[in-house]
Amino acid sequence: MSGGVDSSVTAMILKGEGHRPLGVTLLMSPSSSECSRSVQLARRTAEILGIRHTVLDLRDLFRRHVMDKFRTEYMAGRTPNPCSDCNRNVKLGGLAERLDRMGLDGIPMATGHYARILKDPAGAHLAMGLDHRRDQSYFLAEVPKGIIRRLMFPLGGMTKEQVRLLAEEARLPARREADSMDSCFVEDGDYREVIGPVIDSQGPIVDLRGNVLGIHQGFHRFTVGQRKGLGVSSTEALYVKRIDPPTVVVAPRDRLMERHVTASGGNWLEEGDLRCGAQLLGKTRSQGRPSPCTVEEVEGDRIRVLFHGEGVFAPCPGQRLVLYRPDGVVVGCATMD
């Protein structure tokens, strides 16, 4: 229970279905504490619902698996995905390990994510939420299969508007809380503060021919696909195509479209669907609908896919390639090169 409207309604739905939920609020970001507003909201909600509530401190785990990796990836010219890292290692993976050590081995875990768990004789399968505008399966695709079996997503078949209405009708404390859109540890949306000062970080901004268009104050301030804030003038719109520290390479939008995408370090939830020639759907960014693609190569935990048509815009090293079956079930994910 983060204290927000989604987890609050999730707890209410579970209680209404006859479960006996234990509300768990995680301390993760450095600034979080038991006095935080989110903790107080979660506590008040638990009291109203008549359920137990506890707080678990996972700040050290969050620092090691999310914040430290966040800094390392940016300084390598890559773009991290802290939400995926957090779900795998902290919010779900880390919590599962902590609960097991508390003697709650294998206990189901429910969250307010907009995704679905489909169950059949073959097991549990992660799938897209029915509201594609809110679908969060992209950020859950890296969670190990053993944990997927323990998950419940009561909001997976709902829209945000429906969730807000339920919260309003029940007069839950978080019913009018704003949605959190930024990384939970990034104050005011400025991730550069998390990275900290970078010494001797100046470098050139060049076009595809190597012509110097300007000088930047730190390559860690850029990400592949970025258009705004480049600090160079041009007769056509330019985007960051790649980052070769300390050089930032920019190009017109059409030069950022890619059909071939490679990724490694795969977490495959549906291995039977992962084979050369398989016709799947893929996402290289959390936003938007998955696009048709063909699996061209599978070697160990490395994969190469071919996107149909004009391809996908600016696949970003460090971000996830998430593959889906046509029915919305997540096949798995890997980190793009």
Side-chain angles (χ1 to χ4, degrees), residues 110-124:
T111 75
H113 283 100
Y114 289 82
R116 293 176 295 153
I117 299 295
L118 307 179
K119 294 186 177 180
D120 60 25

Side-chain angles (χ1 to χ4, degrees), residues 115-128 137 145 148-151 153 269-271 273 325 327-331:
R116 293 176 295 153
I117 299 295
L118 307 179
K119 294 186 177 180
D120 60 25
H125 312 275
L126 175 64
M128 296 181 67
S137 61
K145 195 164 188 174
I148 295 293
R149 290 194 291 266
R150 297 174 62 171
L151 298 180
F153 297 134
L269 302 176
E270 307 290 337
E271 293 189 37
D273 294 300
R325 292 194 324 219
D327 62 0
V329 167
V330 176
V331 174

Side-chain angles (χ1 to χ4, degrees), residues 96-279:
E97 291 181 6
R98 179 67 67 86
L99 292 175
D100 290 348
R101 291 203 302 269
M102 293 167 60
L104 300 173
D105 307 53
I107 190 171
M109 301 184 298
T111 75
H113 283 100
Y114 289 82
R116 293 176 295 153
I117 299 295
L118 307 179
K119 294 186 177 180
D120 60 25
H125 312 275
L126 175 64
M128 296 181 67
L130 292 185
D131 184 355
H132 290 155
R133 298 169 302 166
R134 289 281 175 175
D135 171 54
Q136 293 173 301
S137 61
Y138 180 90
F139 299 113
L140 294 162
E142 203 162 7
V143 175
K145 195 164 188 174
I147 294 177
I148 295 293
R149 290 194 291 266
R150 297 174 62 171
L151 298 180
M152 301 169 65
F153 297 134
L155 308 188
M158 302 174 65
T159 65
K160 186 72 173 194
E161 291 75 18
Q162 290 171 324
V163 171
R164 287 271 182 202
L165 181 59
L166 287 176
E168 192 68 45
E169 290 174 346
R171 300 193 64 77
L172 295 179
R175 63 189 181 277
R176 295 176 188 171
E177 290 291 304
D179 292 339
S180 176
M181 301 302 291
D182 297 312
S183 297
C184 59
F185 59 92
V186 176
E187 300 291 339
D188 302 320
D190 188 356
Y191 66 86
R192 290 167 292 193
E193 293 299 320
V194 177
I195 297 172
V198 180
I199 301 173
D200 298 329
S201 60
Q202 280 192 344
I205 301 174
V206 305
D207 62 20
L208 291 176
R209 293 183 295 274
N211 298 316
V212 177
L213 305 180
I215 301 296
H216 64 71
Q217 300 303 311
F219 63 84
H220 61 287
R221 299 170 180 265
F222 300 86
T223 186
V224 172
Q226 178 179 333
R227 177 184 176 185
K228 296 182 179 179
L230 300 186
V232 298
S233 58
S234 173
T235 57
E236 59 183 338
L238 296 175
Y239 301 77
V240 175
K241 180 174 176 61
R242 66 177 185 273
I243 300 172
D244 300 322
T247 301
V248 175
V249 182
V250 297
R253 193 180 195 281
D254 63 329
R255 299 299 298 272
L256 274 73
M257 301 301 298
E258 301 286 351
R259 297 192 66 201
H260 294 280
V261 173
T262 59
S264 58
N267 179 53
W268 307 120
L269 302 176
E270 307 290 337
E271 293 189 37
D273 294 300
L274 195 69
R275 61 188 183 279
C276 290
Q279 302 296 308

Side-chain angles (χ1 to χ4, degrees), residues 9 47 252 311-312:
V9 171
E47 290 173 2
V312 291

